[in-house]
Amino acid sequence: MAGRREKYGQSIRGSRIAGAIAIGVFLGCVFAFLYPHGFFSPDPRPQSRPLSKSNLQVDSSNCESTERINMMKSENRKLSEKNAELQKQVRELNQKLQVAEQGNGRTKEQLVVSSQPQKAGPFGTVKSLRTNPPVVPDESVNPRLAKLLAEIAVGKEVIVALANSNVKSMLEVWFTSIKKVGIPNYLVVALDDAIVEFCKENEVPVYKRDPDENVDFIGKSGGNHAVSGLKFRILREFLQLGYSVLLSDVDIVYLQNPFDHLYRDSDVESMSDGHNNMTAYGYNDVFDEPSMGWARYAHTMRIWVYNSGFFYIRPTIPSIELLDRVADRLTKQPNSWDQAVFNEELAFPSHPGYVGLYASRRTMDIYLFMNSKVLFKTVRKDANLKKLKPVIVHVNYHPDKFPRMKAVVEYYVYGKQDALDAFPDGSV
């Protein structure tokens, strides 16, 4: 009996142990399912969470946008460089075409067609264009000069004078008067080394061109007329660089800043050799030929020439063409006077066998931009005109230039009333 009880007790304990084991295994499976990384371990999902599809699209889109912007910038730079190169080629081809056409003596008719047709306004209100557009500056023509002009010029304008040692005394009066007026934008183009040193000693802006055998020979040893002819060739680079130039001979005294008195409405604005309103600004001159009977009187239009020693020239195609034409003629006709050639090219109209220069021009006020004939023959003898203060006085009509220049300074700058009296009207 006792043996059966023991067996029964052992059987109950074995069943309880088996049940406990089964329950433990079941709970272990449940916890393993609910907490695969352990009951006390932190959830690692935030650290290892895979990127969503939307995040991948945003990041990919940003990368593509940046790459596309950089690509577009690069293409834009390449197109700009290509465009600049093409524009340069077009300018060069146009210049070659003009030279070829002029060389053949059969320049085609030049027609200026506005890209935007304009409607004419009421009577009396219509005004034509006065000036041509400026050229595109090309610093590759002369980088050294371009750098110098960028430092000196004011508003892309500069006074330029050519000088060699033959005019040293007049040059000193010239730049001294400019300094006294307070004009900052002026430059001496030195034609020999002595003038370079002279200008540096006196703190005068100076520029010497690169060696050129033909130009240097004339520049160092030539007289006034020979040197005067060089300026048309030298000025070309200034215009190509995009600068307006007030070309000045050295036999000029400055009394006011000329840039305050320019109109800038023409390709060329020049002082006149005329001595009164008629001769300077033009008049109707009647030519009488009695043998023609009833038609004996023929009306002509006359104007005295522009002075090629003082003129303002804008950087336009007609202006550059003018310089080229004059320089070319002076080379082929060495005995020609540069002032005569300058005026012929400006004034002669197109006619059979010849194509005139399509350039606008203006005559300066003869009492502001005064030649020495006006001063010594008229102004100094007129009480009212003597009260006027000119902008410049150009001693162009008289060979005794230096003493007359000093007299002009004495009269207008220092107020010496009899400073001009000792000189005759004309040359002795």
Side-chain angles (χ1 to χ4, degrees):
M1 184 73 154
R4 281 200 294 249
R5 287 178 180 171
E6 280 180 13
K7 290 181 180 179
Y8 180 75
Q10 291 175 352
S11 175
I12 292 174
R13 284 197 298 272
S15 299
R16 289 177 179 174
I17 292 171
I21 292 171
I23 291 170
V25 171
F26 174 77
L27 291 175
C29 291
V30 170
F31 280 109
F33 177 77
L34 294 177
Y35 302 98
H37 299 288
F39 185 79
F40 297 103
S41 299
D43 187 0
R45 283 179 294 176
Q47 298 177 2
S48 59
R49 181 177 58 191
L51 292 173
S52 67
K53 184 177 181 181
S54 62
N55 287 337
L56 286 172
Q57 289 176 341
V58 171
D59 291 346
S60 175
S61 177
N62 287 337
C63 291
E64 290 178 0
S65 297
T66 302
E67 292 177 358
R68 185 167 181 78
I69 290 172
N70 291 334
M71 186 185 307
M72 292 176 67
K73 287 182 178 179
S74 177
E75 291 177 354
N76 186 50
R77 283 195 299 269
K78 291 179 181 178
L79 289 173
S80 297
E81 293 173 357
K82 185 66 175 177
N83 184 50
E85 180 64 26
L86 289 173
Q87 288 180 345
K88 182 179 179 181
Q89 291 177 10
V90 169
R91 291 196 302 270
E92 291 175 351
L93 288 173
N94 283 332
Q95 291 174 359
K96 290 179 180 179
L97 180 61
Q98 289 177 357
V99 171
E101 289 175 339
Q102 292 171 7
N104 293 333
R106 299 179 61 186
T107 306
K108 296 180 180 179
E109 183 181 6
Q110 299 177 9
L111 299 177
V112 179
V113 181
S114 174
S115 59
Q116 295 294 332
Q118 298 180 6
K119 183 178 179 180
F123 179 82
T125 65
V126 177
K127 300 294 181 183
S128 63
L129 296 177
R130 296 294 192 270
T131 60
N132 288 282
V135 298
V136 177
D138 184 4
E139 293 190 2
S140 65
V141 170
N142 190 329
R144 184 165 65 90
L145 179 59
K147 182 179 179 181
L148 178 60
L149 290 176
E151 299 172 355
I152 294 173
V154 175
K156 302 288 283 187
E157 296 177 325
V158 62
I159 299 173
V160 175
L162 278 65
N164 61 17
S165 297
N166 294 335
V167 296
K168 185 176 180 180
S169 58
M170 289 189 292
L171 177 64
E172 185 172 14
V173 177
W174 180 85
F175 66 65
T176 301
S177 69
I178 286 179
K179 288 183 177 182
K180 190 168 185 64
V181 172
I183 303 169
N185 47 329
Y186 69 101
L187 178 67
V188 174
V189 176
L191 300 176
D192 57 42
D193 294 332
I195 290 297
V196 173
E197 294 303 317
F198 181 63
C199 287
K200 288 181 178 179
E201 291 170 1
N202 289 276
E203 298 182 343
V204 172
V206 63
Y207 165 73
K208 192 171 187 297
R209 300 174 71 254
D210 293 333
D212 185 321
E213 184 176 348
N214 295 326
V215 173
D216 291 344
F217 175 77
I218 299 174
K220 292 177 181 179
S221 59
N224 286 342
H225 286 313
V227 171
S228 186
L230 286 179
K231 61 195 172 197
F232 298 99
R233 183 182 303 181
I234 293 174
L235 284 184
R236 192 185 206 277
E237 291 184 346
F238 287 78
L239 300 193
Q240 285 183 278
L241 294 173
Y243 289 85
S244 295
V245 175
L246 185 57
L247 189 281
S248 174
D249 283 351
V250 296
D251 56 345
I252 293 176
V253 176
Y254 287 76
L255 303 167
Q256 298 184 60
N257 191 329
F259 293 111
D260 295 336
H261 301 271
L262 297 175
Y263 284 80
R264 301 175 177 85
D265 63 350
S266 303
D267 296 307
V268 178
E269 191 170 344
S270 178
M271 73 172 295
S272 172
D273 270 2
H275 59 93
N276 55 28
N277 287 348
M278 284 180 55
T279 56
Y281 310 136
Y283 63 102
N284 184 356
D285 185 33
V286 180
F287 177 77
D288 183 11
E289 190 175 6
S291 63
M292 289 297 295
W294 175 82
R296 64 183 291 178
Y297 300 109
H299 290 257
T300 69
M301 300 305 299
R302 296 189 63 185
I303 183 173
W304 284 32
V305 296
Y306 288 152
N307 191 288
S308 63
F310 190 87
F311 59 87
Y312 177 81
I313 185 166
R314 296 177 61 249
T316 65
I317 292 298
S319 296
I320 295 176
E321 184 182 0
L322 170 65
L323 299 179
D324 289 351
R325 287 186 178 210
V326 176
D328 182 62
R329 283 187 55 184
L330 292 175
T331 300
K332 295 176 180 177
Q333 306 166 9
N335 294 324
S336 298
W337 183 24
D338 70 280
Q339 181 160 290
V341 175
F342 174 72
N343 278 272
E344 289 170 1
E345 293 299 336
L346 268 176
F348 286 171
S350 296
H351 55 262
Y354 176 80
V355 176
L357 181 71
Y358 293 92
S360 57
R361 58 193 188 275
R362 167 181 280 274
T363 305
M364 293 176 172
D365 187 320
I366 62 171
Y367 295 110
L368 291 180
F369 299 91
M370 191 182 298
N371 63 56
S372 57
K373 181 175 182 177
V374 173
L375 174 61
F376 286 98
K377 188 176 180 180
T378 305
V379 170
R380 68 170 175 169
K381 301 174 184 178
D382 187 297
N384 290 322
L385 292 177
K386 286 176 70 174
K387 298 175 184 177
L388 298 176
K389 185 177 183 179
V391 176
I392 60 111
V393 173
H394 188 179
V395 187
N396 60 315
Y397 268 100
H398 301 89
D400 49 340
K401 296 179 181 298
F402 184 57
R404 289 188 188 245
M405 288 178 72
K406 292 193 296 182
V408 168
V409 173
E410 290 289 329
Y411 181 79
Y412 283 108
V413 177
Y414 299 110
K416 188 177 180 181
Q417 295 301 305
D418 62 347
L420 305 175
D421 296 347
F423 299 93
D425 288 355
S427 57
V428 179

